[in-house]
Amino acid sequence: MSLAHVHTRALAGLSAMPVTVEVDLANGLPSFTLVGLADTEVKEARERVRAAIVNSGLEFPNNKRITVNLAPADLPKDSGRFDLPIALGVLAAAGVIDHAQLARYEFAGELSLSGELRPVRGALAMGLAMHHSAEPTPRTLVLPPGSAEEAAWVPGLRVVRAQHLSDVVAQLQPDMAVVTSKQRTAGGHTNADGWCVVHTQTPVPVTAGPNMRDVFGQQGVKRALEIAAAGQHSVLMVGPPGAGKSMLAQRFAGLLPHMSAEEALASAAVASLVGRFRPEHYAQRPFAAPHHTASAVALVGGGSPPKPGEISLAHHGVLFLDEFPEFSRASLEALREPLETGVIRIARASYQAEFPAQFQLIAAMNPCPCGFLGHPTKTCRDTPDQISRYQGKLSGPLLDRIDLHIHVQAVPPEQLLAKQPVEPGEDSQAIQQRAQAARERALARQGCANNLLLGEALNTHMQLANDAKAFVQQAATRLQWSARRMHRVMRVARTIADLEASEPVTSGHVAEAVQYQRVLAGH
């Protein structure tokens, strides 16, 4: 039989779509044709596959007309992940490998000219796609070293690590005399088999990061960050240079509730798409802090093929944007949709990609260009027009999507230099436990964090007391809030009530939520 089929997958955003590599050998002028909307990297596989097969001690069908089709034809394919499936398809079509054996596996891997297998990006996304597939008989995923250990984080998935093309051939055709990678090692000694089942990985204990106890004072800001951690709310901190905004933001991830198994897998899968996955960071909340010169594409994602940006890389974690007004207008406005929907959709003429983006935004800025507007001891040297232009870089619709607006005042030097600080910092673990308990109350009541309450669910689970309802209406009328702003204040009040283990939301909870608004004069 001169026609072979090999199963693999192509990345389309976070999805790993099934691809069938069809290889046909026919009589005629010798050629090697590759079709199926393949990128340049995929087309270059012809030379890598030819050299890898020959250098593995196998016979390449040089006297045949080889046609390789990557189906479906309208799905873009990129990277060297198709090298191994193409090589196996050529060998199967030539009769070297049993076709029935191939049907039990899915393959991905880049080939070196010697036949060694090299890692590919997105292995965890491939594993998740196979895990969620509805196939009655799940296939085994065969990957190179590094990629196999990455995919093995998916529970219940059978993953095999292969080091060399000859190891795969020897497993698929055990009666054939093939020099495996173990035999290639000098003296025949090696620490790992060329074909080895990788067991499901076990998360290591999460290491503690920077601790909030290092921050003296700032009790009001810490209270607001605790509310944000409990309800998954976004935060804008406004204060003079050196007040501790960056220090507080860097410790915010340590206040967030522990990641669930689903959240840890989803976050790791996004990092896998760009090669940033690290096993030691598994189940740790990601913290992304791009520079203010980052473009909109760097934040949102894009390129050809599309890759996730910093917003998606902060999925289920923290996106910290320091010097908030210094980002370009396009970059700032690109935050509006993902803050509302939790998803990034990249649409181009030839493809569409979707990436998750459920992140918590922590933004920090100075109140004016010089930074000392409202400072108790230093004088602001900016004109009202300069201040207005600086604060005007943040549009009203963007600020409406940020739940908590906080003033951060500088701690007086005498407190920092005192042997016994007036307000020593509280340990992050204590704050995290309170936030965890409040989040669990919200999940038990409504199945999601308070920040995700929308429409009828918000009206159902708010449980506003009569005095609280009148307070909200009065504040919204006097401060001229939009409907979005009013709903965000109500969600923050719901989180404050959860922190106090209170079922009804009282006027006191609403009053505290109202305090976290309108920190900029023009808004």
Side-chain angles (χ1 to χ4, degrees):
M1 185 176 181
S2 60
L3 179 63
H5 299 82
V6 184
H7 299 286
T8 184
R9 291 182 181 266
L11 296 178
L14 189 57
S15 303
M17 308 301 293
V19 171
T20 301
V21 178
E22 303 173 335
V23 180
D24 176 71
L25 299 187
N27 296 323
L29 292 175
S31 64
F32 196 149
T33 305
L34 200 155
V35 297
L37 205 57
D39 200 0
T40 302
E41 297 169 327
V42 182
K43 293 179 179 178
E44 292 173 347
R46 294 174 297 189
E47 307 308 322
R48 292 193 295 269
V49 166
R50 187 191 305 271
I53 290 177
V54 173
N55 291 328
S56 298
L58 302 168
E59 184 177 352
F60 186 85
N62 290 303
N63 59 341
K64 295 290 185 177
R65 185 162 61 97
I66 305 172
T67 304
V68 178
N69 178 41
L70 307 178
D74 60 347
L75 179 66
K77 292 91 177 175
D78 69 281
S79 80
R81 69 180 60 253
F82 299 100
D83 289 5
L84 178 59
I86 292 173
L88 295 176
V90 170
L91 293 172
V96 177
I97 296 176
D98 184 11
H99 293 257
Q101 293 282 344
L102 282 176
R104 299 164 45 200
Y105 300 94
E106 288 192 13
F107 302 90
E110 180 182 332
L111 286 172
S112 69
L113 298 184
S114 65
E116 294 285 341
L117 290 176
R118 291 172 174 167
V120 294
R121 64 180 181 86
L124 191 48
M126 294 178 63
L128 277 176
M130 293 182 64
H131 179 68
H132 295 310
S133 65
E135 295 182 4
T137 305
R139 297 189 181 97
T140 299
L141 183 58
V142 181
L143 292 170
S147 297
E149 288 78 5
E150 184 178 308
W153 286 97
V154 180
L157 182 68
R158 191 171 188 272
V159 183
V160 167
R161 178 186 64 234
Q163 295 185 342
H164 198 276
L165 174 61
S166 60
D167 299 321
V168 182
V169 174
Q171 181 68 28
L172 299 177
Q173 195 72 309
D175 297 335
M176 184 178 180
V178 182
V179 180
T180 63
S181 61
K182 187 172 184 177
Q183 294 168 334
R184 292 172 190 272
T185 306
H189 298 290
T190 182
N191 294 326
D193 292 332
W195 178 279
C196 177
V197 175
V198 182
H199 299 287
T200 302
Q201 303 292 302
T202 302
V204 297
V206 177
T207 57
N211 201 300
M212 196 64 78
R213 66 169 173 261
D214 300 332
V215 182
F216 296 127
Q218 306 293 5
Q219 298 305 316
V221 183
K222 292 177 182 177
R223 166 66 175 175
L225 293 179
E226 180 180 339
I227 295 170
Q232 200 172 315
H233 301 292
S234 51
V235 178
L236 172 63
M237 295 186 289
V238 182
K245 302 185 295 295
S246 299
M247 191 176 184
L248 287 160
Q250 290 164 358
R251 285 153 177 77
F252 177 73
L255 309 184
L256 297 176
H258 298 303
M259 298 182 80
S260 65
E262 293 78 10
E263 289 177 339
L265 276 175
S267 177
V270 176
S272 169
L273 295 178
V274 293
R276 292 193 189 180
F277 174 75
R278 299 292 181 271
E280 61 271 19
H281 296 158
Y282 187 80
Q284 291 186 6
R285 297 279 182 181
F287 181 84
H291 193 261
H292 64 263
T293 57
S295 65
V297 173
L299 284 177
V300 174
S304 180
K307 295 182 181 179
E310 295 292 332
I311 288 176
S312 294
L313 292 171
H315 185 49
H316 292 310
V318 179
L319 177 68
F320 176 46
L321 300 183
D322 202 4
E323 305 296 341
F324 199 38
E326 301 300 336
F327 284 82
S328 68
R329 185 63 177 248
S331 300
L332 292 177
E333 296 305 308
L335 294 171
R336 288 164 54 175
E337 287 77 8
L339 278 173
E340 200 75 18
T341 64
V343 174
I344 285 289
R345 294 181 179 89
I346 300 173
R348 299 293 185 265
S350 58
Y351 56 79
Q352 290 185 348
E354 183 175 296
F355 298 104
Q358 291 185 11
F359 61 93
Q360 283 192 248
L361 173 66
I362 306 295
M365 62 176 288
N366 299 326
C368 62
C370 76
F372 298 110
L373 179 65
H375 197 279
T377 59
K378 296 185 179 181
T379 303
C380 176
R381 59 177 182 269
D382 299 313
T383 64
D385 186 54
Q386 289 175 321
I387 297 172
S388 178
R389 282 201 307 269
Y390 180 77
Q391 296 185 358
K393 294 180 180 180
L394 306 179
S395 67
L398 175 60
L399 290 175
D400 255 2
R401 287 169 167 83
I402 301 178
D403 301 334
L404 304 174
H405 299 191
I406 314 169
H407 274 299
V408 182
Q409 297 292 346
V411 178
E414 56 270 18
Q415 290 189 19
L416 294 174
L417 298 175
K419 293 183 179 180
Q420 296 294 331
V422 177
E423 295 176 319
E426 186 179 16
D427 191 87
S428 289
Q429 186 176 3
I431 304 174
Q432 190 269 344
Q433 289 174 351
R434 295 196 296 268
Q436 177 92 37
R439 180 75 66 89
E440 289 174 354
R441 293 187 188 99
L443 293 175
R445 180 179 58 246
Q446 67 225 12
C448 66
N450 289 328
N451 186 50
L452 301 178
L453 281 176
L454 299 172
E456 186 62 29
L458 178 61
N459 296 329
T460 302
H461 299 293
M462 273 303 301
Q463 304 179 30
L464 279 173
N466 291 331
D467 59 342
K469 189 177 298 184
F471 194 108
V472 170
Q473 293 174 349
Q474 181 181 7
T477 302
R478 178 176 297 179
L479 300 176
Q480 299 180 347
W481 284 342
S482 65
R484 179 188 289 118
R485 171 59 61 186
M486 184 176 68
H487 287 164
R488 290 193 176 276
V489 171
M490 292 167 62
R491 287 193 284 264
V492 172
R494 176 68 268 177
T495 301
I496 296 172
D498 286 339
L499 283 168
E500 297 180 1
S502 172
E503 281 301 320
V505 177
T506 66
S507 58
H509 302 143
V510 175
E512 183 177 359
V514 171
Q515 293 178 4
Y516 301 121
Q517 312 297 317
R518 293 176 60 87
V519 298
L520 298 179
H523 300 277

